[in-house]
Amino acid sequence: MKIASWKPATLADAVSLAALFRRVEAAAPVGLEQHADDVTTRLAALGPELGSGTRVGRDDDGDVAAYGEVAEMGEVDDVLRIRLANVVRPDTANDVRAELYQWLLGQAEQVRQVRGSAQAAVLGTRCAENDRVGHELLARHGFELVRHERDLVLALPESLPTEVLPPGLVSSPVDERYEELARLAHNEAYADSPSAIRPDQRTWPAHAIAHPRFLPDLSCLVLVEADGAENPVAGFLFALADDDTEKPTAVLHCLGSRVPWRRRGLATAMITHALRRARSAGFQQVRLRVSDTNPAALALYRKLGFVGSGRGYAVLMRRLGPDAS
């Protein structure tokens, strides 16, 4: 199947894109949004880049068959991070994917050049584990594998322990008072993960409390009680609802602790808090995603009873700029 026309995406494309994403996820999952409201949030988060940074391909019948996206994800250590999405319906010809990658790389280079020819950038994208053609295309375009993301699941037991925080720390609901402090804590917590997304102020809300499936009752912050802390947020957990499973499922979407507070039981306490709230809210299972480059987190989740679901995807990256070689 070939593409009859290409146009920039608009918010009106959310329903059609959600249908495309569901079809792709069924064949080669990469963690795409599968509901129209989630896709709308994704598109809206692009802001002014929506017109120039997206491309929707339609077949001869007018159905959406391909989607490309170039999204700035903030700057860390003077390196611009750019997310690429190449989503193509399974029955689409492979040369369409190759053409779309060429467009994505060209757009990413334009984004980098706007910052100046000396600006370094890192491109990141996902590829399903079983997508051999996709991996080959990315390798030809200079992308290298940096990690695998694994999906873990826990069937909620009848009995759960009570969360216990170290002295001097207190659990708090997530609210707007701490939104910017939570973003800073998130980015600090993931600073030692070179391929992690560290949102800026514009993209952060869709990553957290503005996400359409955000679960405030399951989410929490861990705060330092002592006055005078530059950032009182020591840890954070943001949970989302997952409507794509037969069993009522909650997702531990984003979880972390700042470096000074690691290995002190914060993660265990926050997860236990979420599990207890999830069971009370009627959820039957909880999912989360973990990188194979984080063995300590994987060991903790397995200790808490999480097991592999058999789903996951690869994350690949490529550098752009004067030191790209």
Side-chain angles (χ1 to χ4, degrees):
M1 194 278 300
K2 297 288 187 177
I3 298 298
S5 66
W6 292 98
K7 291 183 179 179
T10 69
L11 296 181
D13 292 317
V15 173
S16 297
L17 287 173
L20 169 66
F21 291 178
R22 286 193 296 271
R23 188 164 176 179
V24 170
E25 284 293 298
V30 289
L32 291 167
E33 299 86 346
Q34 299 182 59
H35 294 270
D37 53 354
D38 295 341
V39 177
T40 298
T41 299
R42 176 180 183 138
L43 296 177
L46 295 173
E49 301 168 22
L50 179 58
S52 62
T54 59
R55 201 180 194 202
V56 175
R58 295 182 180 271
D59 61 19
D60 290 329
D61 296 325
D63 296 327
V64 172
Y67 173 70
E69 178 186 293
V70 178
E72 291 189 43
M73 303 306 294
E75 190 173 314
V76 178
D77 298 330
D78 298 323
V79 177
L80 177 64
R81 293 173 178 270
I82 303 174
R83 181 186 69 198
L84 306 184
N86 186 333
V87 185
V88 178
R89 209 167 64 194
D91 62 344
T92 304
N94 287 333
D95 58 352
V96 173
R97 301 179 73 182
E99 175 191 349
L100 189 50
Y101 271 127
Q102 291 287 359
W103 180 84
L104 290 167
L105 292 173
Q107 291 300 114
E109 177 61 16
Q110 288 185 31
V111 170
R112 186 188 73 83
Q113 289 287 350
V114 168
R115 301 289 190 98
S117 59
Q119 174 68 60
V122 171
L123 311 182
T125 192
R126 300 174 180 179
C127 191
E129 302 281 7
N130 61 347
D131 185 0
R132 179 183 57 81
V133 173
H135 281 276
E136 291 175 353
L137 276 172
L138 287 166
R140 287 203 295 270
H141 286 295
F143 284 82
E144 296 181 350
L145 176 69
V146 293
R147 72 177 190 269
H148 294 275
E149 292 287 334
R150 307 298 186 192
D151 190 69
L152 305 182
V153 64
L154 170 68
L156 287 170
E158 290 296 324
S159 177
L160 288 165
T162 302
E163 63 267 28
V164 178
L165 284 169
L169 298 176
V170 61
S171 180
S172 167
V174 177
D175 62 42
E176 294 182 357
R177 291 177 299 165
Y178 300 108
E179 186 168 359
E180 175 60 8
L181 293 172
R183 183 187 74 85
L184 294 173
H186 170 278
N187 291 353
E188 180 183 334
Y190 285 93
D192 54 358
S193 178
S195 57
I197 293 174
R198 280 165 271 182
D200 57 19
Q201 288 180 315
R202 181 178 65 82
T203 59
W204 171 252
H207 194 75
I209 63 175
H211 193 288
R213 303 194 182 281
F214 178 64
L215 294 172
D217 289 344
L218 275 64
S219 305
C220 68
L221 300 176
V222 173
L223 305 179
V224 180
E225 287 188 294
D227 294 333
E230 182 176 350
N231 186 349
V233 178
F236 51 87
L237 185 153
F238 303 110
L240 308 177
D242 181 1
D243 294 338
D244 297 318
T245 57
E246 294 182 1
K247 296 180 179 179
T249 302
V251 180
L252 305 189
H253 166 64
C254 184
L255 166 68
S257 303
R258 291 170 55 210
V259 174
W261 302 100
R262 289 180 182 170
R263 294 177 175 82
R264 298 179 63 176
L266 272 68
T268 299
M270 290 188 291
I271 294 172
T272 302
H273 165 91
L275 297 181
R276 291 174 64 86
R277 293 294 186 92
R279 190 187 61 188
S280 297
F283 290 101
Q284 295 182 23
Q285 62 182 16
V286 173
R287 291 196 304 107
L288 56 78
R289 191 173 292 142
V290 61
S291 170
D292 61 0
T293 60
N294 192 350
L298 181 58
L300 170 62
Y301 301 148
R302 293 198 182 283
K303 181 179 178 180
L304 292 171
F306 286 86
V307 297
S309 70
R311 295 172 64 88
Y313 56 81
V315 177
L316 301 96
M317 299 180 72
R318 170 188 162 173
R319 296 188 68 85
L320 284 181
D323 60 345
S325 59

